[in-house]
Amino acid sequence: WLAFDTKRWYTNAFIIEDHPTEVKILLGYKKRGFGVGLWNGFGGKVEPGETPVQAAIREMKEECDITAPLEHCGSLLFVLEGAPQGAFQIEVYRAATYTDTIAERVFPSSPLRTDEMRPQWFAAPKAVDGSVASSGLPPIPYDTMWDDDIHWMPLMLAGKKFVGRADFQPTTAGKYEMRRYWFGT
Ligand code: 6OG
């Protein structure tokens, strides 16, 4: 019911730190553009001539000022009925370490328009037993994330490689609602 003639390649990247007492995940609050008001990994469009991992590293630097040895951990296909973007093929990356200091980029007048994300750490469940440390960090805010995230993020946090697809339809509120999905390892 929808041709993939407008499929676009995107990236989404996470820092996941596994400490003895807690697991921390770095997310960004989308300040504008597609998915505004939602927490997500860092990422964006793969530009012509770039590989997806090159794009993921570039976007992470642009959006929160760090450089990380990103490793591929998942592939997602999102089909959005009626969206100009058509379908999103998203390559997901993770790293346990990074260099430079995490910072919110604030360049309102920059032609690069990289002032998109506000980075923040969240508490994630431990892969061994699913327990979340009460370290004071907020838990992963699935209520203010894309509907699909709660289905694949636990696979990523468990250290698995995953694939999946979700189909979205526009709502009258100008948002997108997930209608069906499949995610697996
Ligand atoms: P920019 O417009 O910021 O790139 N993205 C999605 N992420 C999730 N979890 N679910 C979706 O369901 C998504 N659609 C897009 C990919 C957009 C960013 O948003 C992600 C990119 O990281 C529909 O350049």
Side-chain angles (χ1 to χ4, degrees):
W1 47 285
L2 177 73
F4 286 173
D5 58 344
T6 57
K7 191 181 92 163
R8 296 282 184 274
W9 229 358
Y10 288 80
T11 65
N12 215 217
F14 300 86
I15 304 294
I16 301 170
E17 284 189 351
D18 198 346
H19 299 282
T21 53
E22 67 172 353
V23 181
K24 291 165 65 175
I25 183 168
L26 187 69
L27 302 176
Y29 182 80
K30 192 89 192 278
K31 294 188 281 183
R32 58 174 178 73
F34 191 70
V36 64
L38 300 178
W39 293 93
N40 207 339
F42 301 90
K45 198 139 80 70
V46 180
E47 300 293 348
E50 269 184 334
T51 63
V53 69
Q54 287 169 341
I57 290 169
R58 173 184 54 75
E59 290 277 351
M60 194 140 220
K61 183 69 184 170
E62 286 178 4
E63 293 182 345
C64 67
D65 212 12
I66 61 175
T67 305
L70 295 172
E71 285 182 28
H72 187 250
C73 62
S75 294
L76 303 171
L77 179 66
F78 299 128
V79 182
L80 274 67
E81 198 187 323
Q85 295 90 342
F88 290 77
Q89 166 84 43
I90 303 188
E91 302 304 337
V92 186
Y93 296 87
R94 65 184 293 164
T97 60
Y98 60 90
T99 52
D100 306 328
T101 304
I102 296 166
E104 178 176 356
R105 311 300 301 268
V106 186
F107 304 128
S109 57
S110 161
L112 290 173
R113 297 181 61 78
T114 55
D115 57 319
E116 277 188 30
M117 299 287 256
R118 175 157 51 82
Q120 188 180 311
W121 288 106
F122 291 86
K126 274 244 162 230
V128 275
D129 59 2
S131 66
V132 181
S134 52
S135 62
L137 289 178
I140 297 173
Y142 287 118
D143 287 352
T144 37
M145 294 167 74
W146 281 100
D147 294 347
D148 51 277
D149 294 17
I150 197 167
H151 300 289
W152 58 263
M153 236 177 231
L155 303 174
M156 175 173 74
L157 292 165
K160 301 195 164 120
K161 288 212 166 202
F162 55 93
V163 292
R165 167 176 170 164
D167 295 355
F168 289 81
Q169 281 200 321
T171 67
T172 48
K175 307 223 182 256
Y176 287 93
E177 181 177 77
M178 191 171 68
R179 288 304 183 88
R180 54 188 168 189
Y181 64 87
W182 181 88
F183 297 101
T185 57

